[in-house]
Amino acid sequence: NLETVKYFQYNAVNLLSSSINGNQIVSSGEAKQLTETLITAKTFQEFKSRFAAVLSILKKYYEAKNNQNDLTGKIKDCIDEHYFDPDLNVNLLGEHLGLSPSYVSKVFKAYYGISPLDYLMIRRISFAKELLASTSDNIEEISAKSGFLSSSVFIRTFKKSEGVTPGKYRSLYQKPGGLLRYIK
């Protein structure tokens, strides 16, 4: 029955389309192309064949995306575990993971929207802020514990990131009312 086939076709395409869009497995242009492939099938047999082909394609995309998620997770975990090492860089990340540094950067940036080095600096600054707020360690000690090569690099990076020097950050944080008055 042609009407039943069209109904099945319509429902299958809608279900597949919402799944593709919801999981962002492929781009919207690719999703449109895949659904058009299904919609233009003339017979039920042709639809079944195309549907199987589309599912096979989507499976490959999904597996590739999962592999990318695993890889970016490994890169992030490696940075989180070794951020305090002043020698940590994209080359070392690549060596540790058995990948080229450019591939590490490309995959990480595609997933997180920032480079691994930017994430490394964010991680180091975050840890430094914790130390500034919770210890009486001097700037040189905090710089070293946070993975910076020197206190001057630390101060310059911190000021660029936070808008104040580490010393000023600490004094603002320790004042009554502290940094809370700057939070809007």
Side-chain angles (χ1 to χ4, degrees):
N1 179 327
L2 184 59
E3 196 173 293
T4 305
V5 170
K6 286 293 181 189
Y7 176 78
F8 176 76
Q9 184 181 23
Y10 176 78
N11 284 331
V13 169
N14 279 339
L15 179 64
L16 189 62
S17 181
S18 65
S19 177
I20 290 170
N21 293 333
N23 292 309
Q24 297 177 341
I25 296 170
V26 296
S27 71
S28 60
E30 291 167 319
K32 183 178 179 186
Q33 187 178 9
L34 291 173
T35 54
E36 284 177 7
T37 299
L38 295 173
I39 291 171
T40 58
K42 302 284 186 232
T43 66
F44 185 67
Q45 202 57 31
E46 185 180 0
F47 178 78
K48 278 178 34 180
S49 175
R50 289 183 182 189
F51 194 76
V54 166
L55 288 178
S56 178
I57 290 167
L58 291 176
K59 182 180 179 207
K60 288 177 185 170
Y61 273 107
Y62 185 75
E63 287 170 351
K65 188 172 182 176
N66 278 347
N67 288 340
Q68 185 180 24
N69 292 351
D70 290 346
L71 179 58
T72 55
K74 287 178 185 175
I75 296 167
K76 184 180 175 296
D77 289 347
C78 190
I79 293 171
D80 289 342
E81 291 171 16
H82 302 284
Y83 66 88
F84 52 84
D85 179 355
D87 295 326
L88 185 62
N89 59 36
V90 179
N91 290 332
L92 285 177
L93 286 170
E95 279 180 35
H96 179 74
L97 298 166
L99 303 167
S100 75
S102 61
Y103 186 69
V104 167
S105 292
K106 178 183 171 184
V107 168
F108 192 89
K109 186 164 186 162
Y111 189 78
Y112 288 108
I114 60 172
S115 74
L117 290 180
D118 288 341
Y119 177 72
L120 175 61
M121 285 303 121
I122 290 168
R123 186 68 178 91
R124 286 177 174 169
I125 294 295
S126 176
F127 183 68
K129 286 166 60 176
E130 289 176 29
L131 293 177
L132 287 165
S134 64
T135 72
S136 60
D137 293 350
N138 65 39
I139 300 301
E140 289 78 21
E141 291 170 324
I142 291 174
S143 169
K145 288 178 182 178
S146 301
F148 289 92
L149 289 171
S150 69
S151 57
S152 62
V153 171
F154 167 59
I155 293 167
R156 185 173 54 249
T157 305
F158 192 96
K159 184 169 183 175
K160 184 178 179 185
S161 170
E162 302 304 310
V164 294
T165 64
K168 182 73 171 173
Y169 178 89
R170 175 178 268 163
S171 68
L172 290 170
Y173 192 91
Q174 293 175 344
K175 269 187 180 177
L179 286 177
L180 292 177
R181 63 190 168 146
Y182 292 99
I183 300 172
K184 297 177 183 175

